[in-house]
Amino acid sequence: SQQGEEDPQALSIQEGENATMNCSYKTSINNLQWYRQNSGRGLVHLILIRSNEREKHSGRLRVTLDTSKKSSSLLITASRAADTASYFCATDANRANDMRFGAGTRLTVKP
Amino acid sequence: DAGVTQSPTHLIKTRGQQVTLRCSPKSGHDTVSWYQQALGQGPQFIFQYYEEEERQRGNFPDRFSGHQFPNYSSELNVNALLLGDSALYLCASSDLGTGGWAYGYTFGSGTRLTVV
């Protein structure tokens, strides 16, 4: 079963705009990760945030985590056409050592 | 440094047949996890192997089985294929000894299985 749910399911923006995707999950976690997938290929790890962290940055990516609301957000600033992909959040459901994914947000960045 | 290698890349099977998918983990990784991803959906966890044993299992029937070899490579076997088994099967590796998934999984490009 899926642990997380991303919102929105699809997002279309213009190049240069910011993109925000949200993830909600159900059970307690140790960590939350965001992954990117291009056209049904393998997933690429973007960023990890631990349960005791509230915000993390990596290049144009900013991730926040609110454990009280069981939610996270991924912000991509100054988006580029090459950012077009599906983005998934993943959590260690019930603190087990495996990852459970949401259904993803499909981001389209128009040039 | 090779990443995760999966074979074959594409496969077409007939309903009722059996299939074996293969995965070689990233060098230095000792844990392999398998996921099923239907079109337009997120990856669904099938199971995870470490030290040649199944450590965790998702909500998949016994038709799905696996194996891990001493060199850490892994196989996913699916018996009595159903049309609904058509999906992208992803293998992901991690190093449990240094914290496992907490440092991020490395994924292969997947095997696209079509059951007709």
Side-chain angles (χ1 to χ4, degrees):
Chain A
S1 60
Q2 290 181 317
Q3 157 77 325
E5 293 184 7
E6 286 90 344
D7 170 58
Q9 291 184 335
L11 180 62
S12 181
I13 59 175
Q14 294 294 133
E15 213 166 23
E17 294 182 337
N18 295 340
T20 300
M21 288 158 272
N22 302 297
C23 168
S24 60
Y25 57 92
K26 300 173 183 175
T27 63
S28 63
I29 62 171
N30 286 316
N31 309 282
L32 184 143
Q33 303 183 31
W34 284 89
Y35 284 78
R36 164 194 168 126
Q37 184 179 40
N38 287 77
S39 302
R41 303 298 301 276
L43 282 75
V44 175
H45 180 257
L46 294 176
I47 195 166
L48 177 152
I49 186 165
R50 302 187 189 283
S51 58
N52 61 354
E53 297 175 313
R54 291 297 167 258
E55 187 171 314
K56 202 161 185 179
H57 297 255
S58 177
R60 295 185 294 114
L61 305 180
R62 172 178 170 258
V63 169
T64 62
L65 178 64
D66 187 336
T67 53
S68 66
K69 295 181 179 179
K70 291 186 170 59
S71 67
S72 173
S73 68
L74 170 67
L75 168 67
I76 304 175
T77 60
S79 63
R80 307 165 181 168
D83 294 328
T84 294
S86 291
Y87 292 82
F88 297 90
C89 69
T91 61
D92 53 342
N94 295 314
R95 298 176 179 256
N97 191 32
D98 62 74
M99 276 194 304
R100 307 298 171 109
F101 288 83
T105 292
R106 183 172 180 81
L107 173 66
T108 301
V109 181
K110 300 175 183 177
Chain B
D1 180 23
V4 177
T5 304
Q6 290 189 245
S7 63
T9 55
H10 295 85
L11 200 55
I12 300 175
K13 287 287 190 178
T14 302
R15 190 171 44 183
Q17 284 187 317
Q18 179 264 345
V19 68
T20 298
L21 310 181
R22 296 176 176 81
C23 171
S24 293
K26 180 179 178 180
S27 177
H29 284 184
D30 57 12
T31 303
V32 173
S33 302
W34 286 92
Y35 290 83
Q36 179 195 66
Q37 186 178 24
L39 200 61
Q41 301 296 316
Q44 297 287 313
F45 175 71
I46 303 175
F47 42 53
Q48 182 184 80
Y49 276 85
Y50 172 69
E51 291 189 338
E52 303 181 48
E53 291 193 358
E54 184 182 291
R55 296 184 68 249
Q56 304 273 358
R57 188 180 182 92
N59 189 27
F60 277 80
D62 292 343
R63 298 187 298 109
F64 290 77
S65 63
H67 188 78
Q68 186 180 36
F69 299 94
N71 66 352
Y72 307 120
S73 66
S74 177
E75 289 182 349
L76 164 65
N77 301 294
V78 186
N79 294 323
L81 284 167
L82 304 174
L83 296 179
D85 294 332
S86 295
L88 180 68
Y89 288 84
L90 295 163
C91 170
S93 73
S94 59
D95 181 4
L96 195 66
T98 58
W101 89 279
Y103 293 91
Y105 280 7
T106 301
F107 278 84
S109 296
T111 294
R112 174 73 63 187
L113 173 65
T114 302
V115 182
V116 297

